[in-house]
Amino acid sequence: DAGVTQSPTHLIKTRGQQVTLRCSPISGHKSVSWYQQVLGQGPQFIFQYYEKEERGRGNFPDRFSARQFPNYSSELNVNALLLGDSALYLCASSLQGAADTQYFGPGTRLTVL
Amino acid sequence: AQSVTQLDSHVSVSEGTPVLLRCNYSSSYSPSLFWYVQHPNKGLQLLLKYTSAATLVKGINGFEAEFKKSETSFHLTKPSAHMSDAAEYFCVVSDVGLTGGGNKLTFGTGTQLKVEL
């Protein structure tokens, strides 16, 4: 079975630009979560979606937004990029999101110049 | 709020010797705890999870962890290290108290495991 997939693998942007990252969950999983992992640190929670509804939001500015589509895939958008947004962005999927185990994709490496 | 503390940022062992990665947790109720592993330039792989069914949890690749409520610990062990175990290991607690009904994972700062010949 295919795992969580993310695209693109790598991305280079300049300050002030906008970026969209994409995630497809494991087949049958209805919840998607997004995490940011800055180099040398553990991942930090950004969002969780279940059945297209936002179920939780971490301590990130409004420049970060996300949505989930009817097929349960998800997009993470970041506006007005800052140098500090450079990180590995990880997507995780779970069956329903409440207390289910989260399975991670390989991540998208974003570099902001 | 839930939190975890990984007591060692780096651990170095010789191949064939035991591995011990230490983790303490803080939780106001019975937590769900996990260990994830991250190999260089890769995503996170689930090693094992504790959800109150049994205090000794067995995971993949010979790893296991023991939940000790009295010590608020969830240490990861392996009897014999292999070169392929070299990676970063994260102790993680699940917080199901989000306003919208979801759950988030709170990660420790990670332990880099080095395995030497």
Side-chain angles (χ1 to χ4, degrees):
Chain A
D1 287 341
V4 178
T5 60
Q6 293 186 243
S7 63
T9 306
H10 295 86
L11 205 52
I12 298 175
K13 293 285 188 178
T14 57
R15 282 177 296 174
Q17 285 189 312
Q18 176 264 341
V19 68
T20 298
L21 311 180
R22 296 176 176 82
C23 171
S24 292
I26 293 170
S27 177
H29 285 193
K30 297 182 178 181
S31 180
V32 169
S33 300
W34 288 95
Y35 293 82
Q36 180 196 65
Q37 185 178 20
V38 174
L39 198 62
Q41 297 181 20
Q44 298 289 318
F45 172 74
I46 309 175
F47 287 109
Q48 185 179 70
Y49 277 78
Y50 173 65
E51 292 278 15
K52 297 179 290 180
E53 297 290 327
E54 182 182 302
R55 285 292 185 89
R57 182 185 184 115
N59 188 24
F60 280 81
D62 291 344
R63 298 185 296 108
F64 289 76
S65 63
R67 56 179 174 168
Q68 187 178 31
F69 299 99
N71 66 353
Y72 304 112
S73 67
S74 177
E75 287 183 350
L76 175 70
N77 296 287
V78 187
N79 293 323
L81 285 167
L82 303 174
L83 295 179
D85 295 331
S86 295
L88 180 67
Y89 288 84
L90 294 161
C91 173
S93 79
S94 57
L95 281 169
Q96 296 185 10
D100 298 318
T101 300
Q102 296 186 22
Y103 297 90
F104 285 82
T108 293
R109 173 73 62 188
L110 172 65
T111 302
V112 182
L113 302 177
Chain B
Q2 318 276 57
S3 66
V4 289
T5 301
Q6 293 185 243
L7 301 173
D8 307 292
S9 59
H10 294 83
V11 169
S12 184
V13 301
S14 299
E15 191 175 33
T17 64
V19 175
L20 170 64
L21 305 183
R22 300 182 294 164
C23 173
N24 287 346
Y25 70 90
S26 173
S27 173
S28 55
Y29 50 86
S30 184
S32 291
L33 293 162
F34 306 80
W35 278 96
Y36 282 85
V37 61
Q38 188 173 37
H39 291 275
N41 300 312
K42 296 287 180 66
L44 292 154
Q45 181 183 21
L46 177 68
L47 276 180
L48 50 82
K49 64 178 179 179
Y50 166 77
T51 54
S52 77
T55 57
L56 183 62
V57 183
K58 294 189 182 298
I60 62 171
N61 300 335
F63 285 94
E64 62 181 37
E66 186 171 7
F67 175 76
K68 292 186 176 180
K69 187 175 181 179
S70 60
E71 299 176 9
T72 62
S73 69
F74 189 58
H75 301 335
L76 182 70
T77 60
K78 182 174 181 178
S80 176
H82 190 273
M83 294 296 290
S84 61
D85 294 328
E88 183 137 30
Y89 292 78
F90 291 96
C91 182
V92 182
V93 64
S94 176
D95 185 346
V96 297
L98 297 183
T99 305
N103 77 314
K104 70 172 185 178
L105 300 181
T106 299
F107 285 74
T109 51
T111 299
Q112 188 70 45
L113 175 64
K114 182 178 180 181
V115 182
E116 299 172 318
L117 287 172

